[in-house]
């Protein structure tokens, strides 16, 4: 693959390296090694029982953080291959981007951030980096997974200026520098960000209809889905139900990928960066949707927020989830001995509690809450 890479692609042989130097692996590139370390991590396995939209007890067929990450990785590899970018790096970033997510999705994150407001806050992208840098403990000589700079850079998708300054102080010129100087991450990181958005919109439509909270008619009325719904019916007039939904989403996914590839090729041809670092210096991301697709994707996201993520049934479950996180935080802060010794012994009590809660699966959080409070707020 390396020999066919575009000039602006990342190259494992030119990586900015690991925090702790290691000799190269005999059979794998540096980015393949990162991907494998992520797949074998404890945090990656826990994603199978972490909420995407619907909590685990609500149904076996809904997406979880793990299946979401796999779908993002598939899309990221497909886009990277078409653009002659580094597929293994894109896959590694995709598989790791949600490692720091709390139980109960964004409701869990919001509750934990509120609990940590006086102690530096909580943000899942920053926590994902913390997982791979510090919290995974698998190796004898260092904490974390000791991933390459390029993988870590891609994992840190968002970062506040205050957090960026703090990271920059500890790691000058490192993964947070771009948030201070206005430059971009690698092209592989950029395409993974868009793959994340594409996957979200598609699979949340699917899960929303499966749940009964959205109807196929609602989906078909959305601009991004409407033309693909019409195309599917024009070619298959008798198509209906889930097959019609699947065909609509399949066409929508494909066109979004093709749109990214077309407009990114045009942007790269115009900018003509000489290297991966030259692409980072661009004033705006070079991996992009066209303006029409960007508008339609944003409209679909607004539709999902209004009709699915904020649906009263979803919100009722998320209210219980937020309560579980708040009460777990209070209980562990009051009595750290209720946590494993490795967390209870740490000097920064609140951060240790946040790390422990963020690493929980949905069902473990529910179980721990019941153990500590004697109340069950939702099924396990």
């Amino acid at each position: 693959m390396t020999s066919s890479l575009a000039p602006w692609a990342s190259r494992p042989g030119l990586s900015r390296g690991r925090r702790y130097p290691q000799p190269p692996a005999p059979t794998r590139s540096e980015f393949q090694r990162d991907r494998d370390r992520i797949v074998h991590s404890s945090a990656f396995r826990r994603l199978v029982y972490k909420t995407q939209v619907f909590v685990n007890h609500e149904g076996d067929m809904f997406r979880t953080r793990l299946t979401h990450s796999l779908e993002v990785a598939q899309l990221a590899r497909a886009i990277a291959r078409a653009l002659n970018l580094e597929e293994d790096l894109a896959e590694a970033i995709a598989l790791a981007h949600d490692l720091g997510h709390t139980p109960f999705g964004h409701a869990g994150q919001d509750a934990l951030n509120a609990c940590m407001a006086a102690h530096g806050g909580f943000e899942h992208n920053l926590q994902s980096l913390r997982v791979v840098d510090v919290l995974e403990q698998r190796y004898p000589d260092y904490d974390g997974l000791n991933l390459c700079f390029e993988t870590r850079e891609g994992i840190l998708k968002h970062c506040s200026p205050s957090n960026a300054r703090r990271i920059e102080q500890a790691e000058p010129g490192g993964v947070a520098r771009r948030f201070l100087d206005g430059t971009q991450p690698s092209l592989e990181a950029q395409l993974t960000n868009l793959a994340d958005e594409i996957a979200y919109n598609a699979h949340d439509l699917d899960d929303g209809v499966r749940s009964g909270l959205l109807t196929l008619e609602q989906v078909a009325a959305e601009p991004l889905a409407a033309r693909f719904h019409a195309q599917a019916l024009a070619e298959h007039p008798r198509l209906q139900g889930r097959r019609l939904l699947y065909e609509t989403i399949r066409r929508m996914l494909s066109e979004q990928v093709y749109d990214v590839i077309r407009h990114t090729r045009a942007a790269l041809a115009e900018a003509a960066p000489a290297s991966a670092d030259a692409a980072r210096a661009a004033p705006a991301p070079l991996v992009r949707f066209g303006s029409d697709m960007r508008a339609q994707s944003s409209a679909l996201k607004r539709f999902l927020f209004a009709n699915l993520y904020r649906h009263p049934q979803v919100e009722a479950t998320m209210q219980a989830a937020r309560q579980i996180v708040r009460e777990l935080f209070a209980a562990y802060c009051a009595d750290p001995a209720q946590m494993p010794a490795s967390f209870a012994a740490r000097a920064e009590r609140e951060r240790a509690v946040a790390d422990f809660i963020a690493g929980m699966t949905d069902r473990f959080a529910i179980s721990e809450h019941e153990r500590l409070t004697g109340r069950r707020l939702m099924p396990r």
Side-chain angles (χ1 to χ4, degrees):
M1 175 66 187
T2 302
S3 61
S4 64
L5 290 176
W8 41 75
S10 298
R11 283 169 164 73
L14 298 178
S15 170
R16 287 176 55 176
R18 303 178 186 277
R19 299 169 81 203
Y20 306 97
Q22 290 184 279
T27 60
R28 295 173 294 168
S29 77
E30 294 303 314
F31 301 146
Q32 289 170 339
R33 197 178 195 182
D34 280 2
R35 176 203 57 208
D36 296 347
R37 289 183 175 196
I38 291 160
V39 168
H40 288 280
S41 68
S42 299
F44 184 73
R45 291 196 299 277
R46 287 195 294 267
L47 294 179
V48 71
Y49 292 118
K50 290 196 177 192
T51 295
Q52 184 65 31
V53 174
F54 297 97
V55 180
N56 185 250
H57 71 264
E58 296 179 291
D60 292 340
M61 293 296 290
F62 296 123
R63 267 70 169 193
T64 67
R65 286 285 157 189
L66 180 62
T67 55
H68 165 69
S69 297
L70 293 173
E71 291 183 29
V72 175
Q74 179 268 317
L75 291 169
R77 286 199 76 112
I79 297 169
R81 184 179 301 120
L83 295 172
N84 296 113
L85 298 175
E86 228 298 336
E87 289 183 46
D88 296 316
L89 174 59
E91 182 180 31
I93 295 169
L95 294 175
H97 81 284
D98 269 352
L99 290 182
H101 229 299
T102 60
F104 311 121
H106 288 284
Q109 173 183 271
D110 293 345
L112 194 52
N113 184 45
C115 291
M116 288 292 291
H119 310 284
F122 179 90
E123 206 285 321
H124 85 268
N125 283 122
L126 198 61
Q127 189 71 8
S128 294
L129 184 66
R130 185 169 170 78
V131 166
V132 301
D133 280 357
V134 178
L135 297 178
E136 281 289 321
Q137 298 184 340
R138 306 182 66 83
Y139 301 101
D141 297 326
Y142 50 79
D143 291 336
L145 300 179
N146 197 28
L147 303 181
C148 292
F149 169 87
E150 292 79 7
T151 305
R152 296 172 59 240
E153 172 194 48
I155 290 170
L156 193 60
K157 180 178 177 180
H158 305 295
C159 190
S160 68
S162 60
N163 282 326
R165 286 190 291 271
R166 180 175 56 78
I167 297 170
E168 174 68 13
Q169 187 174 13
E171 184 186 348
V175 294
R177 183 67 211 172
R178 66 187 177 88
F179 296 100
L180 301 175
D181 62 19
T183 55
Q184 311 304 322
S186 70
L187 295 171
E188 289 81 5
Q190 293 178 38
L191 73 85
T192 304
N193 290 345
L194 281 184
D196 187 23
E197 180 178 342
I198 293 169
Y200 252 115
N201 282 347
H203 63 50
D204 289 353
L205 281 180
D206 185 9
D207 282 353
V209 174
R210 180 183 295 277
S211 72
L213 303 185
L214 299 179
T215 66
L216 184 55
E217 290 72 24
Q218 283 178 294
V219 173
E222 276 304 294
L224 182 54
R227 60 186 169 119
F228 304 113
H229 179 267
Q231 285 175 8
L233 282 177
E235 293 182 30
H236 307 280
R238 300 177 65 181
L239 205 59
Q240 57 184 318
R242 296 207 63 81
R243 286 179 186 262
L244 177 56
L245 175 66
Y246 290 151
E247 183 62 14
T248 300
I249 291 175
R250 184 188 69 78
R251 291 169 184 251
M252 185 181 77
L253 272 171
S254 295
E255 183 52 37
Q256 287 180 287
V257 168
Y258 301 150
D259 186 271
V260 169
I261 292 167
R262 281 195 305 272
H263 287 92
T264 299
R265 282 176 173 161
L268 288 167
E270 181 178 352
S275 66
D277 281 341
R280 285 185 174 90
L286 295 171
V287 182
R288 59 182 66 160
F289 283 131
S291 57
D292 288 347
M293 185 61 77
R294 164 47 61 210
Q296 291 178 41
S297 179
S298 297
L300 182 55
K301 188 173 291 187
R302 291 193 296 272
F303 165 81
L304 287 167
F305 265 97
N307 295 280
L308 181 61
Y309 308 146
R310 292 175 181 158
H311 189 284
Q313 183 174 317
V314 173
E315 185 55 28
T317 303
M318 292 302 103
Q319 287 282 23
R322 285 187 279 268
Q323 183 177 347
I324 287 171
V325 170
R326 289 194 301 267
E327 293 183 0
L328 282 174
F329 186 87
Y332 292 134
C333 285
D335 186 5
Q338 296 296 329
M339 297 188 294
S342 59
F343 290 91
R346 282 169 40 188
E348 293 182 280
R349 177 177 298 185
E350 291 80 9
R351 185 57 62 185
V353 171
D355 287 340
F356 184 48
I357 292 173
M360 291 180 174
T361 62
D362 294 359
R363 61 185 185 180
F364 182 64
I366 295 166
S367 176
E368 276 290 278
H369 180 266
E370 183 179 359
R371 179 180 73 84
L372 292 169
T373 68
R375 292 178 288 115
R376 182 182 294 185
L377 296 186
M378 62 176 74
R380 280 182 277 172

